[in-house]
């Protein structure tokens, strides 16, 4: 609708009502305008109606949606399946031009606009997250490993002599593989135990940089988040040259940091989230006490918790891994069981105690996290099921229980689940 | 997007491309404008993109989609389920005001506009279908029977003495029940056989009107379409007073006609439709010959065909109805088997030969129609399956075949179907 | 997916995970089974995923979605527009058979099943709402007036002598028109004032029934809900014969009641709803006091409130209606302004004081309601805008303010709104 | 629906109809089964109903859609916006596990299954396209350049000494940049002119391989498709070692070929496509003749055509590029105007005659293609608009015409377009 069309509408519906309707449209337009002018993440989330309207508006700016268009190119945004067209809100052309992802695509003004806005909004979010010095960014659909590889390849142009990457150990395969793929040699720095927590051995990092020569080191490659009992990381303030490359804040950003501007994590957790973490924490502690185990003391990890599985481990060496599959079968997702001493080879490098970030952590344990969106109900059901599994596990009763469950799959859920749901 | 927002977009994307995008939008706007100004059915159907854009534009004119609205009424178009909101394109308020369906709803300018346009477009279609004298119409979600009842109730205000409705027989229950519900007494006029065709006995109608007295008759209640071998109907040109009420041009209109303006059916059948009808007709004739049956000669019915089932009927009295269920089981939908002499009581009136529009039609028969959208594939598969069923039926083999089919449901389709699909 | 397909999946994905997936499906299936077996409204609402799965499952039971179907009927559920098909979840055939809305449609097992379930669930809801004796119901898309007309026509078969309908006045046009349309003469019973409240004059009803003779009366036609200051209604317990017909528990049911089973409204208002009503009530009272008006005392109306507009009415006779349009322009929807002494003619019957349910209610007033889904924000914004409008109205400043607002439509919202939104 | 639920349905709807419905479901299940068992691209495309059913079935196999699931991981597939969930058919978890994209994700059996099937189907398509020796593939969302870079990085492990990549010139930036990003030195092989066509100088390639030493060459990097007048490419059958790397058959595959198995392009063009290409070709030839230009003779390019712009180029050096923008403004998308002698620097390498694949092609020209899905209407409108633009361009009238067009943007389309649409 535009001014003329609103005018024509007054022939059919009382003018005052049409004006009211036009004013209603205006509300949505103002949101669009604010986004277009400021390029910042809106403080209040848009409702679906506004989002869909905007996407539709963008789509009809693309040539494949022009009513009078004739397309004689090799790629004209034609779609065989309406399903696919709708899924993409009819934004079919894609963005960029060959060899330049940030170039405006002439056939697709709407898609290009969406791309520019996306980058602008993500830049705003990164800045708000504390990385004030960032000046540009773009969003591409890349998984962790490839993104890191690309960063290393880019850094190589700046540090042509470099052969090594200093890597404070974090037991995540993509991180490790990405260095090999890019053609560098990872230098593993083992973590230091402090109480129950594992933290980056910053002294060892500094010593290694000195020993190998800063110019031979591409960067220090670390991470901001990981499972307890590893501490979340703060970039190093080394006197030496190599940049710190920090990955993950889950979906978003890969940033190369100079030693003197630190990422200030100001991830505002909402009250609900804080309450849920504290609830999970206290309840898991109670359960741990009940089963003669400990909630590991990891004050520097605000999302993930770990509970020891000492008894289980000592009595029966397969019981720990079996606990994992018991929880899985009972539709507990995300609870991660870490046995002691598992050995894993990644790209010819062998790691002892893989998954625990240390060669020989003091005990087997179970991770549980209070991530965004978790509900009290999740925590309660988790604890109830965990309690049952621990009991069954101790009594060695699991085998039979498990058999009943799986044999019933497809006809009846096991008793345990019927209670919960 | 409006002029300002397109302007703001030029900050992000080349101005020339944004202008092109705005021009793209313009194409859709012009279609909207034509509809709003002329209120007529567009000659070329709109594509989904334009339709959805328009619906979205209308929705944000309704108060329940205003971003700054506060609702303190008893009914504010709030929806518990997003599924429902989306299904209705967020047009939640409904139309009309209590007691007046055509009144503009102040809370819902968009919905009201859609309503006015719908009525206007349907009026245009009715006019194009040949009913030139119609001046107004409105669309309501009513089934056949209730619509007819309402028409009779309305006519009563104009003809207060009337007790009877003259009804040239058409074997469709809603038509009949509607007269009873409205409190009138139906006067059934049996059809006359002309060759294979049944046609309305207009002389009998005129005679009955004279006998009962025109002022005692509410109307002559007939229909424009029905299954072969009944002829499709033309309203009567009687010298007497009662209006002709003609129902069911499938989805659309109920009209009360004065004797002196006839409904000119100019339903343009597309080439494809004509081809399909003629293909079905000739192929069904071949099949009928093969099985020693006849394609009934019904030149005045341009959609529905009938093939005699004489042999089946004579040899085995349950075979005719069984043929129907055989076809049904083989996923032939819409083929209608009409046995001889079935008796049906509707609202205490008993009809002989119900379904055939006559007390004693000369043979049992099967109806097949070439309706809008039918494909050659439909006709071919139908004929193949019908052929098989007729053969099986004749040999009395059906029972066993049928058993195999149904017993396999859920694991395997019957051989016949595997071939087809 | 069925057992075989889950089996085939194990070729591609670990068997344990596929089993887990099958178990996940099982959860949805159990909900479907409960609904199919009990036919009752589920205690916990289904999530969208389950609803959509179920609708999809039903759709593929209809012949128009059979992959191997051939359709040779006159109506085969073919759809020209994919948009329409999707909007209806591909349930295209409709339900019922001609003349019988509750008959199963052979071409559409899925649609028929949905229809049966809908009726069953609605029956369950009506029972839960307190109408224990109801044994059957069906859902049809009918507006208030036509539904009532149909009820009256049905009752006529049971009470063939009846000419009158006793109608305790409720100022809603559909209710009134429906009686005229069905061919009956309404007998209006004026309401009685009790404090600020208007209630049905049950003594007058009984006297009228006696005077006219019970057999001449079709029914007593009343309603359960209306705007304050009218009391919500309870059906009468008369010793005389005519049934009580009670309409419009907003969306749902029309019921004919015998005098000896009362509708027990057990509409459970949730805590939030009760809180909101009490909040609106106390805040509106404060505002009324501030403006030297009164919140009318209407304890028997649990949804709608009324605030007097005495001062506005006395000083300026157009001010009351103008207040309505001022609120409307400021995107307050649902606030209903009732002036004194408005005269309205409906079907040749003239009503004084229309909208107020009484010939001469003591003052003009404004209605506001706390309906389902209202939020604190709605109440706050409403009160703020109402306050502004009352002030502007008193100072006669409205004209200018209003002009600014409307002249800016399309470019800028009025100051008032900018603050709110 | 499962067997039990169909059973329960028989309580509500005639058993025969429910069985028919179950059989209808069966049709869809059989398609799923065929896909799951064979993992091949179905010969007949599925209809939307089957696709959506399958996606829904997969989604409820993922833990985030389990009704009784409790999630205590750091990433549980929770989605803030229903819009996003629906867009992804509720498949939220993603696929793979850290560091291994082909690993099954335990939380997401459905997503994992979809991933495996996708890879399997794409493998089938690649094989059908003629690459019989391929044994494995996986689909990742990567643009051309990054995909190539990754291929080069992988090849490096096999050919550790290699420094050079032999690159038969193709003027597409991604191809070129990818070699630089991966850290290799491109060796450009200029094309040879044969009639109007440009073809790869295979002798020069062989000579260069010999000169540099096969072990120093990572690969010969070529392409299968490009704009006329460049010939589409066939991989080399060299006697020397380096593998041929052939990119980007539009969306699909990157393959490393050994010299002795050639890609047999058996891209079946449908009749419609062949007709359209031949129609575009003959009509463009006519137009070229009319304007005293030539349709370039490029028999080895089955998609793209080129028409000389000799006169335009000789008379006015900006006219050629202006023609491009004239076509763009008239909503002709994809028509590519190539001027002579444009110079472009990519990663410090300077190319003369960029866009034409040659330092000095004999004339300026215009590309038009008959790509998949093109309609006769596209061709007709294109030729009409091109004709107008060429005429206007020759008369130097463009400036004024263009101004009228753009100044009218937002209110009226230029005359030319009104005629077309």
């Amino acid at each position: 609708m535009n001014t003329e069309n609103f005018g024509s509408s007054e022939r059919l519906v009382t003018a005052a009502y049409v004006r009211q309707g036009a004013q209603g449209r205006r509300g949505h337009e103002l949101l669009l305008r604010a986004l277009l002018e400021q390029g910042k993440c809106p403080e209040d989330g848009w409702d679906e109606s506004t989002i869909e309207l905007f996407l539709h508006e963008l789509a009809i700016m693309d040539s494949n949606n022009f009513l009078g268009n004739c397309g004689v190119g090799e790629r004209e945004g034609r779609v065989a399946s309406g399903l696919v067209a709708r899924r993409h809100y009819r934004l079919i052309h894609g963005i960029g031009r060959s060899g330049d992802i940030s170039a405006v695509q002439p056939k697709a003004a709407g898609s290009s606009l969406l791309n520019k806005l996306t980058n602008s909004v993500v830049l705003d979010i990164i800045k708000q997250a504390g990385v004030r010095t960032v000046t540009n960014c773009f969003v591409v659909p890349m998984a962790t490993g490839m993104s890191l590889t690309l960063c290393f390849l880019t850094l190589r142009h700046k540090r042509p002599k470099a052969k090594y990457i200093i890597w404070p150990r974090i037991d995540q395969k993509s991180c490790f593989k990405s260095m090999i793929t890019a053609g560098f040699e990872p230098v593993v720095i083992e973590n230091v135990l402090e109480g129950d927590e594992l933290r980056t051995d910053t002294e060892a990092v500094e010593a290694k940089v000195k020993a190998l020569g800063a110019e031979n080191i591409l960067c220090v490659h670390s991470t901001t988040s990981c499972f307890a009992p590893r501490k979340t990381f703060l970039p190093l303030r080394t006197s030496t040259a190599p940049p710190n490359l920090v990955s993950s804040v889950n979906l978003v950003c890969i940033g190369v940091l100079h030693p003197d501007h630190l990422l200030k994590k100001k991830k505002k957790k909402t009250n609900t989230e804080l309450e849920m973490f504290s609830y999970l924490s206290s309840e898991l502690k109670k359960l741990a006490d009940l089963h003669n185990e400990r909630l590991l003391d990891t004050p520097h990890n605000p999302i993930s918790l770990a509970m020891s599985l000492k008894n289980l481990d000592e009595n029966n060496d397969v019981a720990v891994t079996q606990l994992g599959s018991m929880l899985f079968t009972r539709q507990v997702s995300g609870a991660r069981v870490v046995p002691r001493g598992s050995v894993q080879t990644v790209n010819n490098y062998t790691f002892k105690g893989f998954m625990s970030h240390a060669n020989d952590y003091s005990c087997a344990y179970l991770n549980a996290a209070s991530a965004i969106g978790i509900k009290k109900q999740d925590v309660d059901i988790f604890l109830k099921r965990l309690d049952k599994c621990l009991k069954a596990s101790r009594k060695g009763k699991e085998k039979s229980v498990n058999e009943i469950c799986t044999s019933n799959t497809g006809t009846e859920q096991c008793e345990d689940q019927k209670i919960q749901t």
Side-chain angles (χ1 to χ4, degrees), chain A:
Chain A
M1 302 292 281
N2 54 17
T3 316
E4 292 152 0
N5 289 351
F6 278 119
S8 305
S9 301
E10 296 183 8
R11 209 177 51 82
L12 296 157
V13 167
T14 328
Y17 301 161
V18 170
R19 271 204 301 277
Q20 191 82 335
Q23 216 173 336
R25 187 183 212 291
R26 185 105 203 109
H28 297 271
E29 283 169 2
L30 288 172
L31 291 183
L32 268 55
R33 185 167 155 192
L35 180 66
L36 286 166
E37 289 189 352
Q38 300 156 21
K40 291 187 177 168
C41 186
E43 291 215 7
D44 299 310
W46 288 4
D47 62 26
E48 290 198 356
S49 175
T50 310
I51 297 173
E52 284 184 2
L53 182 69
F54 188 41
L55 290 170
H56 207 136
E57 292 276 5
L58 293 174
I60 57 175
M61 290 176 75
D62 281 8
S63 65
N64 62 308
N65 297 311
F66 289 176
L67 295 176
N69 196 64
C70 70
V72 291
E74 300 211 64
R75 195 177 45 86
E76 287 295 335
R78 296 188 184 102
V79 188
S81 160
L83 201 83
V84 173
R86 292 194 304 277
R87 182 176 133 72
H88 295 280
Y89 302 99
R90 300 195 178 84
L91 296 158
I92 305 296
H93 257 297
I95 50 146
R97 302 192 75 173
S98 70
D100 188 353
I101 204 163
S102 66
V104 169
Q105 168 56 254
K107 286 182 193 173
S111 295
S112 298
L113 193 53
L114 183 58
N115 183 33
K116 295 283 179 191
L117 279 172
T118 305
N119 292 338
S120 177
V121 166
V122 171
L123 181 64
D124 177 51
I125 290 169
I126 294 173
K127 282 184 175 173
Q128 281 188 35
V131 193
R132 296 282 168 205
T133 50
V134 66
T135 56
N136 213 337
C137 81
F138 58 87
V139 179
V140 277
M142 297 256 272
T144 314
M146 271 308 293
S147 304
L148 286 168
T149 295
L150 188 61
C151 290
F152 297 138
L153 289 175
T154 306
L155 280 179
R156 181 161 62 184
H157 290 276
K158 298 205 170 179
R159 301 177 69 81
K161 281 191 180 173
K163 282 182 219 161
Y164 306 106
I165 296 176
I166 306 284
W167 184 64
R169 175 169 170 184
I170 158 106
D171 290 0
Q172 204 263 5
K173 289 184 195 170
S174 307
C175 287
F176 192 77
K177 288 178 170 179
S178 65
M179 301 183 280
I180 309 289
T181 303
F184 293 91
E185 189 178 317
V187 179
V188 185
I189 307 292
E190 292 291 337
N191 295 304
V192 187
L193 195 70
E194 242 175 21
D196 286 335
E197 278 187 332
L198 288 164
R199 69 154 177 84
T200 300
D201 187 345
T202 48
E203 296 78 16
V205 171
E206 289 219 44
K208 206 65 169 179
V209 170
K210 220 175 235 170
L212 294 169
E215 73 280 8
N216 296 319
I217 297 167
L218 187 79
C219 64
V220 179
H221 170 209
S222 191
T223 189
T224 56
S225 73
C226 73
F227 290 102
R230 200 186 185 285
K231 231 168 135 167
T232 55
F233 171 80
L234 281 185
L236 308 172
R237 222 189 150 77
T238 63
S239 51
T240 45
N244 285 263
L245 192 139
V246 180
S247 63
S248 83
V249 189
N250 248 327
L251 290 163
V252 193
C253 65
I254 297 289
V256 176
L257 298 174
H258 288 284
D260 47 337
H261 62 83
L262 303 177
L263 175 74
K264 273 169 204 117
K265 289 228 308 179
K266 285 202 300 188
K267 192 177 171 183
K268 281 181 236 161
K269 298 196 96 182
T270 63
N271 280 347
T272 319
E273 281 167 359
L274 284 174
E275 277 170 27
M276 273 307 114
F277 182 72
S278 121
Y279 180 68
L280 173 63
S281 175
S282 67
E283 295 299 308
L284 194 59
K285 190 174 176 348
K286 283 182 205 165
L287 192 76
D289 291 349
L290 214 76
H291 286 273
N292 227 358
E293 298 286 355
R294 282 194 324 114
L295 182 73
L296 300 183
D297 182 35
T298 55
H300 296 93
N301 195 317
I303 294 167
S304 172
L305 294 164
M307 165 185 154
S308 70
L309 295 175
K310 215 154 192 167
N311 297 301
L312 217 62
D313 193 28
E314 280 167 9
N315 298 330
N316 182 346
D317 53 348
V318 295
V320 171
T321 45
Q322 203 180 30
L323 178 69
S325 71
M326 284 169 77
L327 287 168
F328 174 77
T329 312
R330 276 151 192 80
Q331 303 197 337
V332 173
S333 61
R336 187 170 163 272
V337 165
V338 181
R340 287 182 69 193
S342 71
V343 172
Q344 173 87 41
T345 302
V346 186
N347 284 79
N348 294 323
Y349 286 69
T350 299
F351 292 92
K352 278 182 62 186
F354 199 75
M355 283 175 82
S356 72
H357 317 288
N359 287 323
D360 189 22
Y361 192 74
S362 51
C363 62
Y365 58 84
L366 170 132
N367 277 136
S370 164
I372 203 164
I374 198 173
K375 288 185 196 140
K376 190 172 173 298
Q377 199 187 357
D378 287 298
V379 177
D380 290 337
I381 297 179
F382 162 60
L383 292 165
K384 199 167 173 181
R385 293 185 187 169
L386 175 59
D387 185 37
K388 281 207 169 189
C389 290
L390 284 170
K391 280 176 189 157
S393 202
R394 224 169 37 210
K395 292 181 193 161
K397 282 201 315 192
E398 169 56 12
K399 199 162 164 271
S400 52
V401 171
N402 206 18
E403 267 166 9
I404 292 162
C405 269
T406 50
S407 69
N408 279 336
T409 296
T411 51
E412 206 146 334
Q413 295 190 311
C414 66
E415 185 213 338
D416 171 64
Q417 262 168 316
K418 270 198 279 180
I419 296 161
Q420 319 298 346
T421 50

